[in-house]
Amino acid sequence: MAKHSKKSTKKFEKNHLKDTIERRKEFAKVKQRQQIKAKKQARHASDYAKVPDEDEEKLLPQGNGRKAKDTDKLKDMTVDEFFQGGFEIPEPTKKASKLAKIKEAKAESGKRKRDAPRNDDDSELDGGESEVSSKDQALDLDSPSNDEAEERPGAHREDLDALQKKDPEFYKYLKENDAELLDFSEDGDLAEVDDLSEDEPPKKKKKKGKTIEPVEEDDIDDDTEVTMSMVSKWQKAMTEQHSLRAMRQVVLAFRAAAYVNEEDGKEYKYTISGPEVYHQLLVISLQHVPEVLGHHLPIKETASGKVRFSTDTKKFRTLTPLLKSHATSVHHLLENLFDAPTIKLTLASILPLLPYLLSFKKILKNLIKAVISIWSDPSSTEATRINAFLLIRRLAIISDPSLREAVLKSTYQGLIKGSRSTTVHTLPGINLMKNSAAELWGLDSTIGYTTGFTYIRQLAIHLRTSITHPTKDSYKAIYNWQYTHSLDFWSRVLSTHCSPATNPHLKSATASPLHPLIYPLVQITLGALRLIPTPVYFPLRFHLTRALLRLSRSTTTYIPLAPSLLEVLQSPELKKPPKPSTLRPLDFATTLRAPASYLHTRVYQTGLGEQVASLLAEFFAIWAQSIAFPELVIPPSVLLKRWLKEASSPPTPSATHNHARARGRGNKNAKLAAAVALLLQKLDANARFVEERRRKVDFAPGMREGVEGFLADVPWADMPLGAFVLGMRKREEERERVVEEGRRREEEERRGGRKGRGEGELEEVDMGMDRDVEDGEAADEDDDE
């Protein structure tokens, strides 16, 4: 009878056996890699015990006879005789023992890695091989897996300096036979670049009397001070021969130029003599280094925008330190530049370097953060921002998904940081950032959806916290420029990538992967819009309404915006008669909160009425061709007619002169009443037009194709409401053009150092809020008098 397994064994086999086997297999693979690595280290360690050749024997000091005899005996032995006789290795010479001590000290100065744990259950994978001791591992100084040289370059330099003082004779021997050990540099060894320039023309020989000596290129560049002749020679070699030697020297000199004002105690190979040399060196570094790299490492680009080039070649591995050094120098230079032409040149030089830097993600992320900082800086010019965005877009196209997600997140953070303050001078730059950044979210719909969902959810959390935990200042987390610009930005993203008009490959708006984000964004915007329904924050309500209008127009999504606009007309601010004021019209484009001096004034009341009429016209114009338009405008038309009736009603006859304004039911603002009456007239005309065409249709309401194709043959501009909205847009564009001209004129005067300002034209376009408050207070004092 077969023996039954224990219950615990069956449970283990059912739940944990598969995972245990997988873990053991993975551990076996790691262990096998460690054994292969140990073999390589052992072979490399044995290389240090090699007997020097005849040339080296001549250079080494002569030892005693016993050591030479042991060396000859080891040389004459075969491999079999060596293993039969044991592992008695002859004593190394005095100088060789010193070299071994130095190298061992170099290894001990770095970080020592832990040995991988051993598992007795997997001992069958050892194959009878013995482990290499930690001492043997320390001898592997040049192995790629040993990074002591990268961790502690300063310790190696200290050891060499101590050796020079203690034993100058041996230091001289190392300098003659192992100069590479002494030429250790913190910036990486770039001497291997010279070996890649074998195809360059040979050096010319220079006659000096009767002797002919070769003129070495490095001999000319031994001077530590960079001169114009050196820069010209480097430039000629890089442009005519694509010389890697010259590029190496330029990169080293450019590093010194990038850190020329830094007092970090570092010593560089070159020093910069003057501003002319500095300028010329920057120009050839930024212009010609990418050209030389493109010549030696050509890049192939696919139709989808992806780049391909081989990273396994010896040339790329040799140029890796040079690439890292140059990219780090460019990053440091970019963070300390303030001149627009130089920033533009630097950004243009980074663009061809991006494919080579994809392998160095840490350097690339730091570099792209500096570029985004320039793109979001309010002081940057428009041309500089465009160049920075082209670089960001290029990286987002050629990078992998993980790096693309980091680019999108950094771009959004830069946008929020750059939109903290909004004035008439910074608003064009903020709009440029929002329009350009919205394009990036369409490059990868999957990453675009995940990042969009994350940040829209953050906006919802802020709004929910402000509603559920109200405090004295909780609303400030919502009613600020950054939150408003964020909602407007996401409306631009969804309007751009969910619109069939801008994306011909989309059959409908619902086909876009970003379409599910429309509903939460609309709910958040409507919640923020009604958070504080006071006349002070009516300008913010208009900003958010315009964002939702853009989204509704592009995606053909119905959003009920008429009630929130009609609430403005029903507010006490527009029902009561205004008080006279000499204030300038309020600029709603750069205002979130109306100043206290504007409340209950005629100029503010007129501005609110114009904004309401314009936004209502824009909202109903979206559905002007809808077959249900007559029914859509019935409730708003009733409310508008009622408001006009109340606004035009005279005061009661029994009221005295002093109380006539208080007892009257109308606001007595003829300009506002005329704007509302004109809107009501256009709504009625468009409704009658639709009713006339609707009587002639021959399909039932249930026929979807007929309903959606209603008035498709009539252009939108030919509709009564459409023509009215086009006229309003032209007037608005003309007003914005005048404001923009005034802003540019004012900036030119500031650059020219003029202190005086014109009292006429500039007074009409200046939208400074501080001056508005002062003028409002003065006007109130005049009214009181």
Side-chain angles (χ1 to χ4, degrees):
M1 187 174 179
K3 184 179 180 181
H4 294 285
S5 300
K6 294 182 179 180
K7 185 177 181 180
S8 59
T9 304
K10 292 182 179 180
K11 187 176 181 180
F12 176 80
E13 291 176 353
K14 181 180 179 182
N15 298 329
H16 304 289
L17 179 60
K18 186 177 180 180
D19 295 338
T20 304
I21 294 175
E22 292 294 333
R23 281 199 303 271
R24 289 188 179 182
K25 287 182 180 179
E26 292 295 331
F27 186 80
K29 292 180 181 178
V30 174
K31 190 174 182 181
Q32 190 175 12
R33 287 196 296 267
Q34 293 291 337
Q35 291 172 356
I36 295 173
K37 174 182 170 182
K39 286 183 181 179
K40 292 182 180 179
Q41 291 175 345
R43 286 198 302 268
H44 189 74
S46 65
D47 292 343
Y48 285 93
K50 287 171 58 177
V51 180
D53 53 13
E54 295 180 358
D55 296 335
E56 293 177 349
E57 287 178 357
K58 294 178 182 179
L59 294 173
L60 286 171
Q62 296 294 330
N64 54 24
R66 185 180 61 83
K67 293 178 182 178
K69 185 177 180 182
D70 290 339
T71 304
D72 295 338
K73 184 186 296 184
L74 180 64
K75 185 175 181 181
D76 295 336
M77 289 175 65
T78 63
V79 177
D80 297 334
E81 293 174 352
F82 174 76
F83 280 101
Q84 289 176 3
F87 291 91
E88 295 182 2
I89 301 176
E91 233 177 63
T93 61
K94 184 178 180 181
K95 299 299 181 181
S97 63
K98 287 185 178 181
L99 177 60
K101 288 180 181 179
I102 293 171
K103 302 210 172 215
E104 188 173 342
K106 177 182 176 182
E108 293 176 356
S109 63
K111 295 182 179 179
R112 195 179 298 275
K113 298 182 179 180
R114 296 183 179 179
D115 296 334
R118 297 185 60 86
N119 193 344
D120 296 337
D121 296 338
D122 299 329
S123 60
E124 66 272 14
L125 297 174
D126 294 347
E129 297 173 0
S130 62
E131 292 186 358
V132 180
S133 64
S134 60
K135 183 177 180 180
D136 293 335
Q137 292 180 7
L139 293 175
D140 189 13
L141 299 178
D142 298 331
S143 175
S145 61
N146 197 325
D147 51 358
E148 281 85 355
E150 294 180 6
E151 298 289 341
R152 290 288 307 277
H156 179 56
R157 173 58 62 186
E158 292 174 1
D159 294 338
L160 295 178
D161 293 341
L163 175 66
Q164 185 179 9
K165 295 178 181 178
K166 186 177 180 180
D167 195 344
E169 181 182 355
F170 181 57
Y171 186 85
K172 182 179 179 182
Y173 163 74
L174 287 179
K175 190 173 183 181
E176 295 175 354
N177 297 275
D178 198 358
E180 182 179 354
L181 178 64
L182 301 180
D183 291 338
F184 181 80
S185 175
E186 184 180 353
D187 299 332
D189 185 14
L190 306 179
E192 295 184 8
V193 177
D194 297 341
D195 299 336
L196 300 177
S197 302
E198 297 178 354
D199 55 342
E200 296 180 13
K203 315 268 189 319
K204 295 183 179 179
K205 293 185 178 180
K206 179 181 178 182
K207 291 185 178 181
K208 204 172 186 180
K210 292 184 179 181
T211 60
I212 301 176
E213 297 179 355
V215 179
E216 296 292 338
E217 184 178 356
D218 293 337
D219 293 341
I220 303 177
D221 299 339
D222 284 343
D223 298 334
T224 58
E225 184 177 350
V226 180
T227 60
M228 289 297 294
S229 60
M230 295 170 60
V231 175
S232 301
K233 179 175 66 66
W234 292 340
Q235 183 178 6
K236 183 178 180 181
M238 292 173 68
T239 54
E240 296 180 359
Q241 305 172 10
H242 300 286
S243 172
L244 288 176
R245 294 192 188 99
M247 186 180 69
R248 171 178 175 252
Q249 303 301 328
V250 168
V251 168
L252 294 176
F254 177 68
R255 184 171 182 82
Y259 291 86
V260 68
N261 293 326
E262 299 293 329
E263 298 180 358
D264 51 2
K266 293 184 180 180
E267 295 182 0
Y268 302 99
K269 182 177 180 180
Y270 293 104
T271 58
I272 310 302
S273 58
E276 295 181 358
V277 176
Y278 178 84
H279 173 73
Q280 190 65 19
L281 179 62
L282 254 63
V283 170
I284 68 167
S285 301
L286 298 176
Q287 288 184 349
H288 300 304
V289 168
E291 295 177 359
V292 177
L293 288 174
H295 175 78
H296 291 280
L297 297 173
I299 296 175
K300 298 179 181 179
E301 185 172 355
T302 62
S304 59
K306 299 297 181 180
V307 293
R308 293 180 180 177
F309 74 99
S310 178
T311 57
D312 299 332
T313 60
K314 179 183 177 182
K315 183 175 289 187
F316 179 77
R317 290 195 298 269
T318 306
L319 290 177
T320 294
L322 187 143
L323 275 170
K324 290 183 177 180
S325 175
H326 185 67
T328 306
S329 303
V330 171
H331 172 237
H332 183 79
L333 179 67
L334 203 59
E335 290 182 334
N336 297 275
L337 287 178
F338 300 98
D339 184 41
T342 309
I343 295 177
K344 185 178 178 181
L345 178 63
T346 307
L347 293 174
S349 70
I350 299 175
L351 195 61
L353 295 178
L354 291 179
Y356 306 111
L357 299 177
L358 290 177
S359 302
F360 319 119
K361 290 190 175 182
K362 184 176 180 180
I363 296 176
L364 192 57
K365 287 182 179 179
N366 294 332
L367 187 62
I368 205 63
K369 285 182 180 179
V371 174
I372 291 175
S373 177
I374 293 174
W375 172 73
S376 61
D377 190 0
S379 62
S380 299
T381 61
E382 184 177 349
T384 303
R385 289 188 172 190
I386 293 175
N387 280 273
F389 171 72
L390 292 177
L391 198 151
I392 298 170
R393 183 180 182 276
R394 174 66 173 171
L395 179 60
I397 292 175
I398 67 176
S399 59
D400 58 348
S402 62
L403 190 58
R404 189 179 296 117
E405 182 178 1
V407 171
L408 292 182
K409 290 182 177 180
S410 300
T411 303
Y412 181 75
Q413 294 170 0
L415 170 65
I416 299 304
K417 182 180 178 181
S419 61
R420 186 185 302 273
S421 176
T422 302
T423 63
V424 69
H425 302 287
T426 60
L427 184 60
I430 295 175
N431 289 332
L432 175 64
M433 284 195 297
K434 289 190 288 188
N435 291 328
S436 57
E439 183 183 351
L440 300 179
W441 264 258
L443 299 178
D444 191 330
S445 58
T446 303
I447 297 177
Y449 176 81
T450 55
T451 54
F453 178 84
T454 301
Y455 289 121
I456 292 176
R457 183 174 178 271
Q458 288 181 0
L459 298 176
I461 292 173
H462 286 301
L463 180 62
R464 183 184 64 182
T465 303
S466 180
I467 295 174
T468 57
H469 300 86
T471 59
K472 183 178 179 181
D473 297 331
S474 61
Y475 73 95
K476 293 183 179 179
I478 307 300
Y479 279 16
N480 57 69
W481 276 117
Q482 290 179 311
Y483 197 91
T484 304
H485 283 305
S486 181
L487 290 174
D488 183 69
F489 168 71
W490 290 115
S491 74
R492 292 172 189 257
V493 171
L494 300 181
S495 300
T496 303
H497 303 294
C498 297
S499 173
T502 57
N503 298 276
H505 64 278
L506 292 178
K507 296 182 180 180
S508 63
T510 56
S512 173
L514 300 179
H515 186 268
L517 298 177
I518 293 178
Y519 179 77
L521 179 65
V522 171
Q523 293 296 322
I524 296 169
T525 308
L526 290 176
L529 185 140
R530 289 192 170 114
L531 183 62
I532 302 179
T534 59
V536 177
Y537 289 104
F538 280 163
L540 183 140
R541 177 175 294 207
F542 297 150
H543 281 286
L544 299 182
T545 302
R546 293 187 186 278
L548 293 179
L549 280 174
R550 181 191 306 110
L551 184 61
S552 178
R553 187 185 305 113
S554 300
T555 62
T556 63
T557 302
Y558 178 77
I559 302 174
L561 294 175
S564 62
L565 294 174
L566 292 173
E567 287 177 4
V568 178
L569 286 178
Q570 299 296 327
S571 66
E573 186 70 24
L574 293 180
K575 280 190 173 183
K576 295 180 180 180
K579 60 183 180 180
S581 175
T582 58
L583 295 174
R584 290 186 297 270
L586 183 64
D587 185 15
F588 288 91
T590 58
T591 305
L592 284 184
R593 186 179 184 274
S597 58
Y598 275 86
L599 298 179
H600 310 299
T601 60
R602 182 176 296 274
V603 63
Y604 186 53
Q605 191 180 84
T606 304
L608 290 178
E610 292 176 353
Q611 291 291 319
V612 170
S614 175
L615 294 175
L616 280 175
E618 290 282 355
F619 169 71
F620 288 114
I622 299 174
W623 313 105
Q625 294 175 296
S626 173
I627 197 171
F629 183 83
E631 289 74 22
L632 179 65
V633 299
I634 289 177
S637 299
V638 172
L639 290 176
L640 290 176
K641 290 177 181 179
R642 184 180 302 168
W643 184 87
L644 280 175
K645 184 177 180 181
E646 292 178 358
S648 60
S649 62
T652 57
S654 61
T656 61
H657 178 72
N658 294 334
H659 298 84
R661 182 182 303 171
R663 298 290 299 274
R665 291 161 51 189
N667 59 8
K668 304 300 183 292
N669 193 331
K671 190 174 182 179
L672 174 58
V676 175
L678 181 60
L679 172 64
L680 187 58
Q681 179 184 353
K682 297 300 179 181
L683 292 178
D684 293 340
N686 199 86
R688 289 195 302 269
F689 180 83
V690 173
E691 286 178 351
E692 291 178 1
R693 297 295 298 265
R694 192 168 60 179
R695 294 192 189 101
K696 303 177 183 179
V697 299
D698 55 353
F699 53 84
M703 295 181 61
R704 197 68 183 172
E705 295 180 359
V707 171
E708 293 178 355
F710 180 71
L711 292 181
D713 56 334
V714 180
W716 175 80
D718 293 342
M719 303 288 294
L721 189 57
F724 173 67
V725 171
L726 282 180
M728 292 180 58
R729 291 177 181 175
K730 290 181 180 179
R731 289 191 296 271
E732 183 67 20
E733 291 174 359
E734 182 65 20
R735 193 188 72 84
E736 292 178 355
R737 185 186 63 81
V738 173
V739 173
E740 181 67 18
E741 289 179 358
R743 181 186 66 83
R744 292 180 179 178
R745 197 180 304 118
E746 187 176 354
E747 288 182 354
E748 291 176 359
E749 290 185 359
R750 288 180 178 178
R751 294 192 189 103
R754 301 177 185 175
K755 296 183 179 180
R757 294 187 177 183
E759 298 293 338
E761 297 179 355
L762 285 180
E763 184 179 0
E764 296 180 0
V765 297
D766 187 9
M767 300 298 175
M769 295 310 305
D770 297 335
R771 242 183 282 170
D772 291 344
V773 174
E774 295 175 1
D775 294 342
E777 293 175 355
D780 293 341
E781 292 177 1
D782 296 339
D783 293 340
D784 294 339
E785 293 177 359

